[in-house]
Amino acid sequence: MSNVYDMSGKKKVVMNEEADEDITYKEIMKIIIENATEEGCNQIFSYGGIDMCPSDIFGSEKIDKQKEEDTCNYESIGCTKCWTNAVNQIKRRANI
């Protein structure tokens, strides 16, 4: 299990899926804002983006859409793990 904290860094939320390290919502939002396409930012902040895949937000040049779909369809990892993988991938690339 990994811990995720709210924007203030105080409220602890327990997640069922394993993660490499703890990350705050503030860090997640920073990664999204700095790396999302303009259209992706509009989608996620205007419409919630609840059912959107990471490649829809970050663009196919940062997240391989086909690999994402294959992982989703054949490994059934779930949205939380898929988003965790995408954020970690972008985080590693940007050395954040």
Side-chain angles (χ1 to χ4, degrees), residues 18-37:
E18 294 296 322
D20 295 336
E21 60 188 48
D22 295 343
I23 186 168
T24 65
Y25 288 121
K26 186 174 183 178
E27 291 171 316
I28 291 169
M29 293 311 294
K30 180 179 178 193
I31 290 168
I32 289 172
I33 290 167
E34 289 178 350
N35 294 280
T37 62

Side-chain angles (χ1 to χ4, degrees), residues 4-93:
V4 178
Y5 301 88
D6 67 5
M7 291 295 283
S8 67
K10 295 180 182 177
K11 184 178 180 184
K12 185 175 177 180
V13 178
V14 178
M15 299 181 69
N16 293 329
E17 297 176 1
E18 294 296 322
D20 295 336
E21 60 188 48
D22 295 343
I23 186 168
T24 65
Y25 288 121
K26 186 174 183 178
E27 291 171 316
I28 291 169
M29 293 311 294
K30 180 179 178 193
I31 290 168
I32 289 172
I33 290 167
E34 289 178 350
N35 294 280
T37 62
E38 186 173 343
E39 182 181 331
C41 278
N42 182 46
Q43 289 283 334
I44 201 165
F45 291 113
S46 297
Y47 305 106
I50 299 300
D51 60 350
M52 297 181 75
C53 293
S55 61
D56 295 332
I57 300 299
F58 297 117
S60 58
E61 58 279 346
K62 290 187 181 176
I63 302 293
D64 183 347
K65 178 84 171 164
Q66 187 61 50
K67 183 177 178 185
E68 179 183 71
E69 287 178 2
D70 290 345
T71 301
C72 182
N73 292 330
Y74 301 117
E75 295 180 27
S76 301
I77 63 171
C79 291
T80 303
K81 184 66 174 171
C82 184
W83 271 94
T84 301
N85 290 344
V87 168
N88 284 333
Q89 179 181 347
I90 289 173
K91 187 177 169 183
R92 279 191 303 273
R93 251 192 234 147

